[in-house]
Amino acid sequence: MKILITLLFSSVLVLSIMLLSSSNNIKNQLLDAISTVSKETETPIDKLLGGLLTADFDEGSCLSRYHKSSLYRHPSPYKPSEYLISKLRSYEVLHKRCGPDTKAYKEAIENLARDENYAGNSVGECRYMVWIAGYGLGNRMLTMASAFLYALLTERVILVDNRKDVSDILCEPFPGTSWLLPLDFPLMNGSYRLDKGYARCYGTMLNNHAINSTLIPQHLYLHNLHDSRDEDKMFFCEKDQSLINKVPWLIVQANVYFIPSLWFNPTFQLELKKLFPEKDTVFHLLSWYLFHPTNQVWGMVTRYYRAHLSRADETLGIQIRVFRKDAGYFQHVMDQIVGCTQREKLLPELSTQEEPQVNNTSNISKLKAVLVTSLYPEYSDNLKNMFWERPSSTGEMVEVNQPSGERVQQTDKKLHDQKALAEIYLLSLTDKIVTSARSTFGYVAYSIGGLKPWLLYQPRDLTTPDPPCVRSTSMEPCYLTPPSHGCEADWGKNSGEVFPFVKHCEDLVDDGLKVYDEL
């Protein structure tokens, strides 16, 4: 009997083990199948952005370079052209050959110090474009992109002034070399006052007839600030380029996005059309190639995004800049923001009465996260109170957040600029965006994000504009102080009427220049 019981128990035990083993095998097979389907259906992240970026960097040294796209809800539909990719790879080779610490750079510096007439001499393959830092972060990013595109079109090597904090906020964009101008560069030692009165200022030399095919200086200063003259702004024209191309060193100081004017040069225009078949993608693509926030800045972006934006069903960015000496909180600006966002259905209106929603699962609301960036926290505080005190008419839950509100712009302070760059990228991550007229900060944010913004008109006389805002049909930034006419004297046209795709900016009505895609 004992033997029979033992045999029976052993049989049951073996059967149980077989069934358990079979169950685990089935479970494992299911998990493997699910994993396989998941891998097949999951869209892989294109770290190189369609070939825009090179794989020649260590990922850990600059986390944002290959991981920026992972935070964006929708992959950018704007892909780089094969021609742009080819030009960028060729440029990287040129920069590596001619950049700081190379034999070619040292020879070019020695020639610069001699300051001899360069007429008739062969410039060689290494010619340079030096970008001088100035003004706020938005201005800097717009002008760095402008200078880089000009360098790309003219086969020059761009070097950026690092006396401020470029290396604290942005990673190196070119592999195996540096784009930072060495601190011992001779024209940056304080002995030279680079402004319109400078003897080597191109506009001044034109007016003084001090430059021609037999008088070519070692360097030229290009003055493209808000106070520049038409003579300064026309350096990109074909007749001017015939002289400027012979100059080894160009020093550019700018606080405006001058890329729209490059389209006036017929030679540049042919190249630009091949580089950017979709004309309003210029800054968007260049920014994704050039600007990679440092790990410290990227940490700010990712932490804030995960805490405040990642769970939302929809996100809205609102960037507020008040252009007044007594800037601060103004009720007419607040009314404009509310008027624009509700009129354009970006934010819901408030319900007229409180509706009970307790334990009613059908009223589970969608979450809309609103990211406000401003020097003044009162605007976001008021929006937050609006949607806390009363429910929305649509039942949506509206959550308002503002990363910082420092009240005073502190340009050139490292932490302030790092926070500013983080906020630019956070704005670019939103689904829709509202920005202030004339704000270069806003221009950079929406263009990086590939967004066509709603632009708040600039208020006049402390009154709310009517209409409060306009939807842009282009994601390109605005050139705020462009030349008054095109390159050819016989055109005699307003610069906003020369080409159908280079027109005045919506937020400036009959001023500024902006590139629009004809399609």
Side-chain angles (χ1 to χ4, degrees):
M1 188 68 177
K2 288 182 179 178
I3 294 172
L4 183 61
I5 291 172
T6 301
L7 286 171
L8 184 62
F9 178 79
S10 299
S11 300
V12 170
L13 181 60
V14 169
L15 183 61
S16 299
I17 291 171
M18 289 175 66
L19 289 171
L20 181 61
S21 176
S22 175
S23 173
N24 284 336
N25 285 338
I26 293 171
K27 182 179 178 182
N28 289 336
Q29 288 171 9
L30 284 171
L31 288 173
D32 288 342
I34 291 170
S35 176
T36 300
V37 170
S38 175
K39 287 176 182 177
E40 287 176 355
T41 57
E42 182 180 304
T43 303
I45 295 173
D46 179 12
K47 291 185 177 181
L48 301 183
L49 306 177
L52 188 70
L53 304 181
T54 174
D56 295 341
F57 285 95
D58 169 54
E59 289 193 21
S61 65
C62 185
L63 296 172
S64 68
R65 188 189 317 275
Y66 299 124
H67 298 282
K68 283 201 298 289
S69 58
S70 65
L71 286 188
Y72 286 82
R73 293 166 181 264
H74 312 289
S76 174
Y78 308 106
K79 305 303 179 186
S81 66
E82 290 297 326
Y83 190 66
L84 174 60
I85 292 169
S86 173
K87 289 284 283 189
L88 292 175
R89 298 295 88 83
S90 297
Y91 175 82
E92 290 161 3
V93 172
L94 176 66
H95 197 107
K96 200 169 183 178
R97 189 160 56 240
C98 301
D101 295 326
T102 62
K103 180 181 178 182
Y105 175 81
K106 292 172 184 175
E107 289 177 354
I109 287 292
E110 290 174 2
N111 290 334
L112 176 63
R114 286 196 285 269
D115 197 25
E116 298 169 348
N117 180 13
Y118 221 75
N121 293 344
S122 174
V123 176
E125 66 172 344
C126 296
R127 294 173 302 145
Y128 297 88
M129 179 81 165
V130 175
W131 170 87
I132 299 177
Y135 299 86
L137 182 62
N139 301 80
R140 292 187 193 181
M141 295 177 76
L142 292 177
T143 57
M144 273 195 279
S146 300
F148 174 69
L149 181 56
Y150 178 81
L152 199 66
L153 291 169
T154 57
E155 298 182 343
R156 289 181 178 271
V157 173
I158 186 171
L159 298 172
V160 302
D161 178 10
N162 191 37
R163 290 175 299 172
K164 306 296 183 181
D165 57 7
V166 173
S167 59
D168 293 321
I169 60 175
L170 294 172
C171 303
E172 293 276 5
F174 313 128
T177 183
S178 176
W179 72 336
L180 300 178
L181 181 73
L183 294 175
D184 61 356
F185 184 68
L187 299 183
M188 299 294 178
N189 61 13
S191 302
Y192 300 87
R193 183 178 177 181
L194 300 176
D195 56 20
K196 289 185 292 187
Y198 181 56
R200 293 287 188 270
C201 176
Y202 181 63
T204 300
M205 293 188 80
L206 279 182
N207 288 337
N208 295 338
H209 306 288
I211 183 171
N212 55 51
S213 58
T214 60
L215 292 172
I216 303 295
Q218 276 283 339
H219 74 277
L220 277 177
Y221 166 62
L222 305 178
H223 185 83
N224 203 349
L225 299 173
H226 54 279
D227 65 344
S228 57
R229 306 153 293 191
D230 260 3
E231 294 89 345
D232 298 303
K233 299 173 187 176
M234 309 303 286
F235 71 91
F236 52 83
C237 295
E238 271 191 317
K239 62 180 179 62
D240 301 84
Q241 285 297 303
S242 64
L243 294 175
I244 291 176
N245 278 338
K246 299 175 183 177
V247 179
W249 289 90
L250 297 181
I251 320 296
V252 62
Q253 184 170 208
N255 64 351
V256 286
Y257 180 69
F258 58 81
I259 282 177
S261 62
L262 299 180
W263 292 84
F264 291 139
N265 181 320
T267 303
F268 289 172
Q269 188 179 130
L270 289 172
E271 280 286 288
L272 289 167
K273 285 181 177 179
K274 291 194 291 183
L275 290 167
F276 306 100
E278 296 174 279
K279 295 183 181 65
D280 67 344
T281 63
V282 178
F283 186 83
H284 175 68
L285 292 173
L286 290 182
S287 67
W288 279 75
Y289 174 74
L290 282 178
F291 303 135
H292 310 292
T294 59
N295 287 350
Q296 184 171 357
V297 175
W298 195 239
M300 296 179 186
V301 174
T302 54
R303 286 190 296 273
Y304 197 91
Y305 179 84
R306 288 167 184 157
H308 300 286
L309 301 178
S310 62
R311 295 175 293 104
D313 298 291
E314 187 179 338
T315 56
L316 172 67
I318 303 178
Q319 180 265 336
I320 305 165
R321 176 69 189 269
V322 179
F323 289 95
R324 291 179 59 89
K325 289 182 179 179
D326 58 344
Y329 177 80
F330 292 96
Q331 188 58 46
H332 70 278
V333 176
M334 187 70 216
D335 293 341
Q336 181 182 13
I337 295 162
V338 174
C340 172
T341 53
Q342 291 187 339
R343 170 179 170 151
E344 300 296 326
K345 310 298 183 186
L346 301 172
L347 285 178
E349 295 185 1
L350 299 177
S351 178
T352 55
Q353 60 183 1
E354 189 74 38
E355 297 178 2
Q357 296 182 358
V358 180
N359 297 326
N360 186 349
T361 55
S362 65
N363 283 334
I364 295 176
S365 304
K366 288 186 176 181
L367 174 62
K368 176 169 283 189
V370 181
L371 175 76
V372 178
T373 65
S374 173
L375 290 173
Y376 313 101
E378 291 87 352
Y379 295 104
S380 63
D381 289 344
N382 279 3
L383 272 180
K384 189 181 298 183
N385 289 336
M386 279 174 52
F387 290 101
W388 179 51
E389 294 167 359
R390 288 167 61 186
S392 67
S393 59
T394 60
E396 289 176 284
M397 300 297 293
V398 179
E399 184 179 281
V400 181
N401 293 286
Q402 180 172 341
S404 69
E406 303 194 356
R407 298 196 177 276
V408 178
Q409 185 170 333
Q410 303 170 54
T411 301
D412 297 338
K413 290 194 175 179
K414 175 181 172 181
L415 185 58
H416 178 85
D417 282 352
Q418 288 178 327
K419 288 179 180 178
L421 184 60
E423 291 188 6
I424 282 175
Y425 271 91
L426 284 167
L427 282 171
S428 78
L429 292 168
T430 56
D431 298 315
K432 297 175 181 176
I433 190 169
V434 177
T435 69
S436 296
R438 304 183 65 87
S439 173
T440 56
F441 189 99
Y443 292 163
V444 172
Y446 72 65
S447 194
I448 288 177
L451 302 168
K452 294 180 180 178
W454 281 264
L455 297 165
L456 296 165
Y457 287 115
Q458 189 166 347
R460 306 288 181 189
D461 303 321
L462 299 178
T463 58
T464 300
D466 184 20
C469 60
V470 59
R471 178 75 187 276
S472 179
T473 58
S474 170
M475 59 186 179
E476 270 288 280
C478 177
Y479 181 178
L480 292 171
T481 56
S484 60
H485 54 80
C487 288
E488 300 299 328
D490 58 349
W491 280 350
K493 285 186 178 179
N494 179 309
S495 60
E497 299 174 356
V498 175
F499 295 114
F501 53 86
V502 183
K503 299 182 291 187
H504 291 307
C505 310
E506 298 104 331
D507 51 329
L508 302 187
V509 188
D510 293 322
D511 201 0
L513 283 186
K514 189 171 181 176
V515 178
Y516 298 80
D517 194 75
E518 292 171 297
L519 299 178

